[in-house]
Every structure is written in C-alpha cells, then in structure tokens.
Amino acid sequence: MSETYDYIIVGSGTAGGLLAYNLTQAGARCLLIEAGKNFRKETFPRLEGDASAQMYWGGGFELSHDASMAFLRGKVVGGGSIVNQGLMDRFDEVAFDDWRAESGVDFFSLAAMAPYYDAVEAKLALHTFTAVERNQNAEKFVAGCEACGYEWKYLRRGQADCGLEEGNDCIGCLNGCHRDSKQSSMVVFVRPAEALGLELVTETEVEWVEPAGEVVRVHASQAGTAKTYQARRLILSGGALGTTAVLLRSGFKPRYPALGKYFASHPQFMFFAIYDEEINAHQGYFQTVNSKDPRFRPRGFKLENVFAGPASSALLFTGYGRAHHEIMRQYCHMACAEVAIRDENAGEIEVGKNGRLAIKKQLTDQDRRRMKDGTAVLKEILAASGARQVIESPLYFGLHLMGGSRMGTDPATSVVEPDYKLRGFDNIYVCDSSLYPNAPGINPALTVMALSQRLSEQLTRS
Amino acid sequence: MTSEYFSPRALRGLNRIGDMLIPGDAGLPSFSEYGCSEKVDDLVAYAPAEDIATLNTVLAVMAVAPTAVLRWLIERMTAVTPDQSGTIASLMRQLNFGLRGILFSLYYGEKAGSQYTGPDPLEVIGYQVRRVE
Ligand SMILES: Cc1cc2nc3c(=O)[nH]c(=O)nc-3n(C[C@H](O)[C@H](O)[C@H](O)COP(=O)(O)OP(=O)(O)OC[C@H]3O[C@@H](n4cnc5c(N)ncnc54)[C@H](O)[C@@H]3O)c2cc1C
C-alpha cells in the first residue's frame, strides 16, 4: 500500500488533467492514474494504424454488443484531448434547458456556467479560423452550403501555433500533435501539474474502488501486477465508459439502478464526395468550418466538414478487390463531410463476468429520422458543390461518449449528486463526460472542462 | 516470417484474405507482395488478448478454407449493414471491422516487408503529409 494522498484522480483526459492541475496548484497532494501510455510530442506515433493501436482502447476501436456501431476513445496521457480535433464550443440554452429538465440540476444554465467557461477559456490558446485557412475540402463544403442557401461558420479550436505558414499539414495531429500546439490536457494541464508536484502513474488500469471509512482504496493493475493506492478523496474521470466500468466492477449496480444507463454518443455518418480536380483534403488545416444553419438544430443534426487518413478511409468504403483500388486511387480527389446527430440516450453500458465492457447502443426511430434528414441535406450540399460521385459509408461511429453515471437529483435516474459526489459517499466524486444527463448535440469537451473547473473551485474552497 | 501473436498458418490466412481484398492493380502491390503482414505484431500487440486469440483462430481457418467459401464470406461481410439484426449479421460486422481494420492499417501504414522494393501504396495514391516540427 502506498501513502495516503489527498486526492487520487482516475483518468488524465479532458476532465482529469484539469482537476489534477487545479488541485495540485492549490497545494493538495495528488496522484493521477492513467491506463494509457505517456507520449511526448517527439514520440507520438506518426501513422494512423500505429496511433490507433497504441492510443485507443480496444487497440483501435470498441464495438457495440452487436457490432452495429464502433466507439473511439483515447487511452493515453491526455485521453480524448490527444486524439480529438480540439474544437471548443460552449453549449447553447437549448442544451442546458434540456439538461436541467432531465436532471433537476439548477446550475445547468448558460448564466451559471459562464464563469467556469470563462476561467477555462482563459487557460487555453483558442483560435477561430478565417478564410485564408480553408483548404479545398472546406472550400467545397462552403460552396455547397452557399449554393443551397444553408448557413455555415468558422470553427473555434484549441491551438497555439500549428505552423501552417511553414507548410505543416494538420491531419497528423489526430495521432497526437507533434508541435504541442493542440491544447490537449497533457500540454495545458498535466505537464504543468507535474512541475508543481503532481504524481503521475501510467499504463496502470484501475479495476475497482473500495470505500474504506475515511479513505478510498483504488485497486489497479500495472503490467499484470496488482497495485493498491489510497486517498482521502477519489475523483473518477475515466470518461463515460471508463468511469462507468469502474463503478460497475466495484459492485455499485444494485445501489444505483441508473448506473450504466442513459449512454449517448452523437453517432456520425460519413460521406465522401469525388471531384474531377484534386482536393488534397489531407493537406493544410484539417477542419475549419461546419454547418450553422438555424434550421438544423431543432431537427437534431449538424454537418461537419472532416476527413480521414487512408487506412480509416479504406475501412469506411465497402468495395474490395479492384473496386477498392479504384476508389483509393481517387483519394486526392475526395472531400468529406459527416452528419452527426443528437441521439437519444437509450444506450446501456454493462460489464461482463470477464470484466469486459458490453455496450448496448442502437439507433432509435428518432435517431434514424435525424440521420435521414441530415443525410438528405448533406447530399444536396455535396451535389451542389460539384461532386461527380458521393460515397456513403455504411459504418456508424460514436466519438462523443456521454452518460452512464449521470448527474441528477432523482436517485431512480441518476448516480451522481449535483455536488459531484457519488450518491451516499462523501469522498468519492465523479467528474467527466459520464455525468452528462443527455446528448447536447454540441462538441462536449469544453463543457467537460467547465464542469471540472466548477468542481475544482468547490473542492479548493472546502 | 514469424509473429509473437499469430501462428504461421494464421499469417498465411492473413495474406490470403488480404490478397482477396487488396489484390493489387497497376502500380499498386497486392497485400502479400507488399509484405506488410511481417509487421502485424506492431498493431496487434495492443489489442485485447481475447480478441487476438479469436483472430488467430479465424485467420488459421481462412488459410485452409476453400476459395469459394472465402469469397462468399467476403461478400457477406462487406455487404452487411448496421441495421441487419441477428447473430450472423453481428458476426459479419465484427469480422468486417476487425479484419479490414488490420489489413488497411498494415497496407496504408508504411509497413513494407523486407523483400519489397516497389512504390509504397501511400505514394501511389498521392498521400503526402508535410510535418514541420
Ligand atoms: C477522434 C475524436 C475527435 C473528437 N473531437 C472532438 C472535438 O473536436 N471537440 C470536442 O468537444 N470533443 C471531441 N471529441 C470528444 C472529446 O474528446 C471527449 O468528449 C472528451 O475527451 C471526454 O473527456 P473525459 O474527461 O470525459 O474523458 P477522456 O478525455 O476520454 O479521458 C478519460 C481518460 O481516463 C482513462 N481511463 C479510463 N478508464 C480508466 C481506468 N480504469 N484506469 C485508468 N485510466 C482510465 C482513459 O485512458 C483516458 O485517458 C472527440 C473524440 C474523438 C475520439
């Protein structure tokens, strides 16, 4: 058994990194436990296959129980913030109103969360894109939107200096930013916290936790060796799947009927458009624009202008044999966009006897309507942009994993109290995307950070 | 060619299914010509042990299965949609994600085998990324 820390934080991602920094800076003795590896900008894998294998749970992706959907979640120091796109959006009133209505938590409002958004944004280098930064992929998306009369907007991203003027291409940043420009939790919070005395253990997976009076014990496995740590307070920040899995493996399900329920993932459906001219969507900034049309929000979808490396693109197409080669030869002539829906939180996370996750997640009738609705609009946009062919990928992906240990006032439908405490425990907290009451339909990371900022202030005040 | 995770027969199965999905085309090598199965351990080392064991068995069967059976399997596996229900559909989707995931990550992963001297598939499709440190 190790020493007794003030705090153990499980998971070094978007939430965990920020909490570790704030608490360490306030003078607390903190241990941050991370299942993934500890890369530096010089050591991130360069190619997508290696990056998927080394930095994602499941060695690339995890499948739902019937393999109808694949989920992507980072397993690395920095968590999702290392592999994500770094887009930073505040929620709107619609998202918070729905959260408040479903959870009964009164601080879920733009006004109440504004100081925490402000505090987090002050710590990040944020950049809103401009016209000169659009690559040909973005040009096609914008041209299509304008031809059809749909509104679009420039994205805001957490980045310091991506070196575009020096000729850097940003697609590699999905494998971890080799310039430390992307404002990942590793760059902004974990490294500075280490300098302040944070203790970080990596490649160590927490299996279960045990409340033991004044302390909480954390049982983990490090390269097959059992390890036990203890602290006066524990914060679970393993993400929707990670935190929920730890709580399920710790035997809390009988106590919390809602544990594992209300899982959502903003399912995404990808479309590749092929043009006569070269697009080279893998060059320049990776993603600079998306849809902003006010008609889309009530219809529950948004359109993102994205792209993927060759290995991921190949997986997204159906053809094989010569048909596969024919498509891939046109890689440099492709633009890409996706429909992302605001899905119902009907998914469920379970843990089998072998400790492995079983994620039950199927599209509901409403989800399907939203997908079809968004698909029709996106096809119209891509056709109007001059595409000679549009390929629709038949595979569904979830990148924004939310819920499973949600926050609320009703014990029948929630697990975590509005003060972030696991219901019935004074020294176990949950703070990450697992406490999301439902899918906001907006990029989740900035709000994960704002919620973490709020908890840090609550803890440092006490 | 050896692997810490796959038997020699499973590696033969990997090359066989790889060549059916990626047969090569003017300028592009086939999966086995490219020789990337030599580097399969780079990727599978990080997958859950249970998944590796299952894949090892599936690939070993693929090494000896009649070609017509493999063709049928590829047809089914690549045609199945996320909406089809039932155990077979779910198995086909798992195979589709698992097998194609590994094959494409190897083939488009700058993982040429020791004997390969031709152009890299990434070069042929025009994928060039500038990395300014
Ligand atoms: C490819 C991709 C692109 C995305 N793009 C965007 C975007 O542009 N904007 C946006 O807002 N969101 C984006 N997201 C989503 C965003 O990254 C997540 O919503 C966010 O990171 C969730 O934060 P979190 O703290 O809840 O979990 P995470 O950031 O996932 O952190 C959880 C950490 O806990 C660790 N962990 C889990 N279980 C254990 C355990 N048992 N023991 C030890 N450690 C454990 C994990 O390894 C991980 O490092 C994207 C996601 C992906 C995958």
Side-chain angles (χ1 to χ4, degrees):
Chain A
M1 178 83 68
S2 68
E3 67 175 280
T4 301
Y5 294 90
D6 292 325
Y7 290 95
I8 289 178
I9 301 154
V10 177
S12 66
T14 303
L18 186 145
L19 285 158
Y21 175 77
N22 283 349
L23 295 171
T24 306
Q25 196 192 33
R29 178 106 184 84
C30 297
L31 173 70
L32 181 60
I33 306 179
E34 169 57 50
K37 284 190 180 185
N38 195 1
F39 290 98
R40 303 199 164 265
K41 68 177 161 81
E42 299 82 10
T43 60
F44 282 126
R46 223 169 38 78
L47 288 157
E48 23 163 15
D50 295 314
S52 291
Q54 295 181 41
M55 299 204 294
Y56 279 94
W57 285 84
F61 44 72
E62 294 162 295
L63 297 175
S64 60
H65 74 296
D66 65 353
S68 60
M69 205 179 286
F71 304 104
L72 267 58
R73 61 172 173 136
K75 181 183 184 182
V76 54
V77 170
S81 73
I82 293 291
V83 294
N84 76 11
Q85 244 308 89
L87 303 175
M88 296 291 167
D89 297 327
R90 290 191 185 201
F91 281 9
D92 59 11
E93 281 299 1
V94 174
F96 277 130
D97 288 351
D98 287 353
W99 271 24
R100 220 172 35 254
E102 203 161 323
S103 67
V105 177
D106 58 10
F107 69 80
F108 287 153
S109 76
L110 260 187
M113 288 301 294
Y116 308 106
Y117 279 127
D118 290 344
V120 169
E121 285 170 352
K123 293 177 174 150
L124 301 171
L126 292 168
H127 174 73
T128 302
F129 291 106
T130 59
V132 290
E133 292 159 327
R134 291 188 336 216
N135 68 2
Q136 281 306 305
N137 189 22
E139 291 299 340
K140 291 293 179 194
F141 183 81
V142 168
C145 285
E146 289 182 348
C148 298
Y150 294 122
E151 287 181 37
W152 60 273
K153 70 169 196 313
Y154 286 110
L155 295 165
R156 186 174 69 151
R157 187 165 189 264
Q159 61 178 58
D161 173 15
C162 292
L164 194 78
E165 313 70 40
E166 297 156 52
N168 190 47
D169 294 322
C170 277
I171 194 167
C173 168
L174 295 174
N175 311 338
C177 176
H178 64 271
R179 294 173 62 92
D180 274 355
S181 167
K182 183 161 67 178
Q183 299 292 280
S184 69
S185 138
M186 178 192 87
V187 168
V188 182
F189 300 114
V190 178
R191 297 290 178 241
E194 283 185 289
L196 294 172
L198 168 73
E199 213 174 298
L200 170 68
V201 293
T202 61
E203 297 179 63
T204 304
E205 183 170 350
V206 171
E207 288 172 346
W208 59 289
V209 298
E210 178 193 9
E214 293 293 294
V215 297
V216 186
R217 294 205 182 100
V218 173
H219 302 279
S221 152
Q222 191 181 60
T225 306
K227 296 265 174 189
T228 300
Y229 306 93
Q230 70 176 28
R232 280 176 274 282
R233 284 167 168 178
L234 167 71
I235 307 177
L236 293 173
S237 298
L241 297 182
T243 288
T244 305
V246 169
L247 291 173
L248 286 167
R249 285 197 298 260
S250 306
F252 286 117
K253 179 69 183 172
R255 199 172 172 135
Y256 309 116
L259 183 60
K261 292 189 174 163
Y262 308 107
F263 172 68
S265 67
H266 289 163
Q268 307 188 340
F269 313 95
M270 305 269 284
F271 293 78
F272 289 82
I274 304 181
Y275 300 83
D276 288 332
E277 69 273 28
E278 277 200 0
I279 303 296
N280 290 319
H282 57 286
Q283 294 179 351
Y285 271 123
F286 181 70
Q287 203 178 355
T288 51
V289 295
N290 75 348
S291 66
K292 187 199 149 202
D293 201 281
R295 288 165 288 183
F296 299 167
R297 180 77 171 131
R299 287 153 74 186
F301 68 83
K302 64 175 179 165
L303 308 176
E304 299 273 5
N305 183 220
V306 293
F307 200 57
S312 313
S313 302
L315 181 64
L316 288 164
F317 303 137
T318 42
Y320 66 91
R322 305 245 176 268
H324 165 75
H325 290 307
E326 258 164 50
I327 291 186
M328 290 304 289
R329 274 182 191 288
Q330 302 181 74
Y331 183 79
C332 293
H333 289 251
M334 288 177 191
C336 177
E338 71 185 20
V339 177
I341 60 164
R342 186 178 187 201
D343 55 330
E344 291 187 288
N345 52 1
E348 189 157 354
I349 303 161
E350 292 172 3
V351 166
K353 285 205 183 78
N354 56 2
R356 280 193 81 168
L357 281 172
I359 309 160
K360 296 190 173 150
K361 171 76 179 152
Q362 271 162 341
L363 297 183
T364 64
D365 290 344
Q366 176 175 293
D367 296 343
R368 275 174 212 288
R369 276 197 302 279
R370 291 179 167 188
M371 170 183 89
K372 284 199 180 119
D373 207 6
T375 297
V377 174
L378 183 54
K379 282 186 171 167
E380 186 193 346
I381 290 172
L382 294 175
S385 73
R388 77 172 133 81
Q389 188 191 347
V390 175
I391 303 168
E392 180 173 350
S393 173
L395 306 183
Y396 304 169
F397 283 87
L399 273 55
H400 299 169
L401 313 181
M402 301 163 288
S405 309
R406 70 178 188 166
M407 182 184 272
T409 51
D410 179 357
T413 59
S414 65
V415 174
V416 176
E417 297 276 8
D419 61 2
Y420 298 76
K421 285 180 182 162
L422 186 65
R423 181 160 290 116
F425 292 95
D426 249 349
N427 53 3
I428 303 181
Y429 297 79
V430 171
C431 185
D432 56 22
S433 49
S434 72
L435 51 76
Y436 272 35
N438 57 38
I442 295 175
N443 282 315
L446 188 68
T447 303
V448 169
M449 283 192 261
L451 289 168
S452 312
Q453 178 67 26
R454 192 177 181 282
L455 173 61
S456 338
E457 291 185 24
Q458 174 188 316
L459 292 172
T460 48
R461 263 198 315 270
S462 66
Chain B
M1 185 173 69
T2 53
S3 160
E4 208 180 301
Y5 304 94
F6 288 158
S7 67
R9 187 196 277 183
L11 287 177
R12 280 202 305 281
L14 183 70
N15 274 322
R16 190 159 175 229
I17 193 88
D19 280 350
M20 293 176 85
L21 287 163
I22 309 171
D25 194 3
L28 280 163
S30 70
F31 181 82
S32 63
E33 273 163 10
Y34 186 47
C36 49
S37 59
E38 274 179 31
K39 310 228 169 118
V40 71
D41 285 4
D42 288 2
L43 302 184
V44 295
Y46 303 91
E50 248 175 82
D51 295 355
I52 300 175
T54 310
L55 202 54
N56 192 29
T57 310
V58 168
L59 289 171
V61 172
M62 286 181 164
V64 292
T67 304
V69 172
L70 282 189
R71 273 194 206 295
W72 174 87
L73 191 71
I74 292 175
E75 273 298 330
R76 291 288 303 266
M77 170 182 114
T78 53
V80 69
T81 68
D83 301 329
Q84 282 169 257
S85 56
T87 315
I88 301 285
S90 149
L91 265 175
M92 290 297 148
R93 283 191 293 264
Q94 274 180 45
L95 266 183
N96 192 33
F97 270 111
L99 278 178
R100 290 167 76 245
I102 288 193
L103 293 172
F104 294 137
S105 293
L106 287 169
Y107 188 75
Y108 296 109
E110 283 184 12
K111 294 197 183 294
S114 48
Q115 305 297 311
Y116 183 70
T117 52
D120 195 276
L122 289 182
E123 208 180 303
V124 180
I125 65 167
Y127 183 76
Q128 271 187 335
V129 173
R130 284 156 304 179
R131 188 181 154 101
V132 181
E133 306 293 335

